[in-house]
Amino acid sequence: MEAQTDLEARIEQHLRVLYPQHDTRTVSARCLKSIGLEGDESTPMPHRNLWNQKDIALITYADCVRRPDEAPLATLHGFLHKHYQGLVSLVHLLPFFPYSSDDGFSVMDYTEVNPSHGGWEDVERLAGDFKVMGDLVINHCSSRSRWFDNYKKRLDPGASYFFEAEPDANLTAVVRPRTSPLLKEVVDEQGSRYVWCTFSHDQVDLDFSNPDVLCEFLTIIKLYLDKGITWFRLDAVAFLWKVPGTTCINLPQTHEIIRLLRLLIEHRQPEAVIITETNIPNSENLSYLGNANEAHLIYNFSLPPLLINTLLTGDCTYLKSWLLTMPPSQAGTAYFNFIASHDGIGLRPAEGLLSEWEIQSLVGTMREFGGEVSYRTGLDGEQKPYEINISLWNAMAGTSKSGPDEFQFDRFVCAHAVMLALEGVPAFYFHSLIATENDHARVANTGHFRSINRHLWDAEELESRLHDESLHHAKVLIAIGKLIRLRQRQPAFHPNAIQYILHLGPSIFAFWRQSPERKQTIFAVFNISNQPQTIPLSELNLFATQVWRDLVGGKSYEDRMTPIKLAPYQFIWLSNYEGS
């Protein structure tokens, strides 16, 4: 038997945990072949930051902007090149594969581009101008996929790809994000079987206790890497491994799978990045960073509900309390900050951070502003709010106490200014950069609340609105574009730069960042209320020997007796040095 390479030995360590009943040396060889690795590749440098303050992500569907007689991916590419070149470095393309439901997250074929969106050549062209993140919809696939058709016929590939359970199994502890029945009956001439469906009966969960499924996905990852995709979003990965009698979420084997994927992907492409999508309570979410050996980045799921609640109540107490508990991201890991996405405002990540009363108040205010609410079934059988479905523009329409007001634009920009200044990589949803409103007509058409924030723009209409600076769409893009360009020049806004939270009262949210080489310090100070606020400059404890200047407004503060006066939702980025 040939001697093992270091990489093969490390792969086998993971496989022995996952597949103790299998010949792990054989499975290891299959893994290497599936992802396109031969022999022992050079070991990637650990704890390396593959991002900096210039990195801005955009989350978008392939077909969110359309033009007649043009592939939507080509239309999107042209739009991004025209309006976002220099602003956005990373494009997260939400699932662009053939699908049967859930706007792409019920994948029928992982190896093809949806013909209605374009082709692989369009993805490769996009990857020539931007880093591209692709969705690895790894927990489940479509009930109309070839794999599931083969499962029903008991043929390969697919005959043993899906997780089965008996109806009388102990499933009382299973954590669910939906209210639909967990098991789906499949009947054929040989009898009936029950497959596991965490999300819907059109999304059947895959069985990763079968190494064939792992190798199948490694082949898919290789394809994506070959097509220029270098960032991988592991969709719904917290539910990946199931053991009846347990919660079937965040199980040790799930973390082991992620560690194995990280090892293989970074050896195949050292610049590749893994990001986990785990819409779960904060402490559980943090676990997916591992010891810098699982996800490179995690979605900062608690940020949207806490920041939106802050701006609606004019009180940053809950937001500050949460941030004070967040560990600094170690080198080689980072937070992926977002405040809007293709999904709703998740409420599970607010559990333990907002009181039940605060959550109910937030839900009520969002309904007042035109939002909807999706529910999940709790362990006690009770239906609980799972996410709020609303466009961010409408979510910022007013306050919890007073309702809609004249500060919608200022509140909206302030929210994004907070995200841009916080530790982590900022990510903008396509519809937030242009402040798209609630799409109630699409909800009525699809019957799904999430469609409210998944508007499909006609390219000419959108171009017209962005050229009319009297409209809020153009105003928002101009204002946020200026902030992005400003951020990109500041080393103190590096995603891993030091961050300390300041205590200036409930109506002022403030923190300071310091660049890794400690050359630049920025005090980010936000009035998160609808009332003017005054702050004595002495409370910021600025170094008296330096001149401090607001990067946003340009005002210098040399006289330490001069107070800072902030209008409703006004903010300053006070720095001792302006980046180039």
Side-chain angles (χ1 to χ4, degrees):
M1 184 178 293
E2 294 183 9
Q4 282 186 308
T5 65
D6 177 66
L7 176 58
E8 288 170 337
R10 293 173 66 190
I11 292 170
E12 277 205 59
Q13 287 179 353
H14 297 295
L15 294 176
R16 278 193 288 271
V17 175
L18 296 166
Y19 309 115
Q21 305 304 317
H22 291 262
D23 178 356
T24 53
R25 176 160 285 203
T26 299
V27 177
S28 173
R30 289 182 61 199
C31 289
L32 288 168
K33 182 179 180 181
S34 296
I35 202 169
L37 281 167
E38 297 180 3
D40 195 7
E41 305 293 325
S42 58
T43 302
M45 185 182 299
H47 303 292
R48 185 165 60 109
N49 292 327
L50 299 170
W51 45 81
N52 59 36
Q53 67 273 14
K54 295 181 181 179
D55 281 307
I56 307 291
L58 180 76
I59 304 167
T60 182
Y61 280 103
D63 62 342
C64 64
V65 56
R66 299 175 170 189
R67 183 174 284 115
D69 302 319
E70 184 176 49
L73 273 167
T75 305
L76 175 67
H77 190 183
F79 183 88
L80 298 184
H81 186 81
K82 179 177 180 179
H83 294 283
Y84 296 163
Q85 195 77 31
L87 295 182
V88 169
S89 62
L90 169 70
V91 177
H92 170 204
L93 273 183
L94 291 158
F96 50 86
F97 318 105
Y99 69 95
S100 55
S101 64
D102 198 18
D103 284 345
F105 285 93
S106 185
V107 179
M108 296 171 63
D109 187 342
Y110 291 86
T111 65
E112 296 293 335
V113 176
N114 189 332
S116 65
H117 295 342
W120 276 118
E121 66 277 7
D122 296 299
V123 176
E124 291 180 276
R125 277 194 288 268
L126 186 66
D129 286 342
F130 304 92
K131 289 181 281 191
V132 173
M133 177 158 68
D135 263 289
L136 201 63
V137 185
I138 197 169
N139 178 71
H140 52 262
C141 74
S142 169
S143 66
R144 291 172 55 193
S145 64
R146 181 169 70 97
W147 291 348
F148 197 66
D149 281 344
N150 283 349
Y151 170 82
K152 290 185 290 185
K153 299 172 184 175
R154 302 181 188 249
L155 300 174
D156 287 321
S160 56
Y161 276 18
F162 297 92
F163 193 85
E164 299 176 355
E166 295 299 326
D168 58 356
N170 179 10
L171 305 178
T172 57
V174 175
V175 173
R176 296 288 313 287
R178 298 290 186 272
T179 58
S180 57
L182 176 60
L183 301 182
K184 171 183 178 175
E185 185 178 14
V186 178
V187 180
D188 60 25
E189 64 277 5
Q190 298 184 42
S192 66
R193 294 169 288 170
Y194 291 84
V195 290
W196 193 285
C197 301
T198 297
F199 291 90
S200 79
H201 282 192
D202 187 43
Q203 295 166 300
V204 189
D205 285 39
L206 294 152
D207 184 2
F208 270 84
S209 67
N210 177 1
D212 292 346
V213 176
L214 170 66
C215 291
E216 191 81 66
F217 271 88
L218 291 175
T219 302
I220 292 165
I221 290 168
K222 177 183 181 299
L223 171 66
Y224 296 174
L225 286 168
D226 290 343
K227 298 299 184 181
I229 296 171
T230 54
W231 286 50
F232 294 87
R233 176 184 180 271
L234 305 187
D235 176 65
V237 71
F239 302 96
L240 191 68
W241 200 279
K242 291 88 176 170
V243 178
T246 73
T247 61
C248 298
I249 188 172
N250 307 323
L251 296 188
Q253 296 92 332
T254 294
H255 288 277
E256 199 70 39
I257 286 279
I258 295 171
R259 287 191 282 269
L260 176 58
L261 292 177
R262 164 79 176 259
L263 176 67
L264 289 165
I265 289 173
E266 68 182 3
H267 275 78
R268 177 68 166 74
Q269 169 53 269
E271 302 302 312
V273 171
I274 288 176
I275 176 168
T276 50
E277 188 265 342
T278 47
N279 189 357
I280 52 181
N282 189 61
S283 60
E284 299 171 27
N285 190 31
L286 287 169
S287 70
Y288 284 87
L289 290 173
N291 185 24
N293 62 348
E294 293 189 33
H296 292 86
L297 295 95
I298 59 171
Y299 273 75
N300 218 351
F301 273 107
S302 296
L303 181 60
L306 291 177
L307 180 54
I308 291 169
N309 181 73
T310 292
L311 290 161
L312 295 183
T313 62
D315 187 336
C316 63
T317 302
Y318 290 100
L319 180 61
K320 286 194 301 184
S321 297
W322 165 63
L323 285 170
L324 286 168
T325 69
M326 292 291 281
S329 54
Q330 60 176 308
T333 69
Y335 297 118
F336 194 72
N337 293 331
F338 73 107
I339 50 178
S341 74
H342 60 292
D343 290 338
I345 302 164
L347 295 175
R348 286 215 69 208
E351 291 177 9
L353 301 175
L354 290 177
S355 68
E356 285 296 320
W357 183 89
E358 289 281 347
I359 290 175
Q360 291 302 327
S361 176
L362 177 61
V363 166
T365 302
M366 293 295 92
R367 280 190 167 128
E368 182 184 349
F369 296 166
E372 303 285 358
V373 180
S374 299
Y375 289 83
R376 67 181 180 90
T377 302
L379 295 179
D380 55 3
E382 180 186 1
Q383 290 198 2
K384 298 182 178 181
Y386 177 68
E387 70 179 14
I388 300 167
N389 305 110
I390 192 171
S391 82
L392 188 63
W393 174 253
N394 289 94
M396 295 287 102
T399 67
S400 298
K401 291 182 179 179
S402 305
D405 59 23
E406 71 272 27
F407 296 117
Q408 185 175 21
F409 173 84
D410 303 291
R411 194 179 289 112
F412 188 84
V413 174
C414 181
H416 287 96
V418 171
M419 181 182 75
L420 283 166
L422 282 171
E423 175 188 359
V425 175
F428 291 84
Y429 184 41
F430 182 91
H431 292 297
S432 293
L433 269 178
I434 53 176
T436 304
E437 301 100 325
N438 287 337
D439 190 341
H440 293 287
R442 192 150 194 256
V443 172
N445 183 51
T446 66
H448 298 296
F449 287 157
R450 283 181 168 178
S451 297
I452 200 169
N453 198 24
R454 298 178 179 180
H455 183 70
L456 300 176
W457 278 103
D458 172 76
E460 299 309 319
E461 180 188 358
L462 181 55
E463 291 283 1
S464 174
R465 294 197 184 197
L466 293 179
H467 281 95
D468 186 346
E469 295 188 12
S470 68
L471 299 177
H472 72 266
H473 307 284
K475 291 178 180 178
V476 162
L477 181 57
I478 291 168
I480 295 179
K482 288 179 179 177
L483 291 176
I484 289 174
R485 291 186 177 91
L486 193 55
R487 172 205 159 87
Q488 291 172 328
R489 299 197 300 270
Q490 315 309 321
F493 284 150
H494 187 285
N496 295 86
I498 296 171
Q499 175 175 288
Y500 282 100
I501 305 301
L502 304 177
H503 300 281
L504 301 176
S507 298
I508 298 294
F509 178 55
F511 53 90
W512 70 265
R513 306 287 308 280
Q514 188 175 72
S515 59
E517 74 287 354
R518 301 192 178 186
K519 183 176 181 180
Q520 184 189 37
T521 297
I522 294 178
F523 287 84
V525 184
F526 305 83
N527 178 1
I528 49 84
S529 77
N530 59 1
Q531 299 297 317
Q533 302 291 329
T534 299
I535 312 161
L537 201 59
S538 58
E539 291 198 18
L540 294 182
N541 196 26
L542 305 179
F543 301 119
T545 56
Q546 296 178 328
V547 175
W548 294 83
R549 179 172 170 270
D550 173 23
L551 300 175
V552 178
K555 182 178 179 179
S556 294
Y557 291 85
E558 300 180 41
D559 182 0
R560 297 301 184 270
M561 302 304 294
T562 302
I564 299 173
K565 296 182 178 180
L566 297 177
Y569 306 104
Q570 185 184 355
F571 53 91
I572 61 173
W573 291 346
L574 200 58
S575 178
N576 61 336
Y577 157 87
E578 182 171 3
S580 58

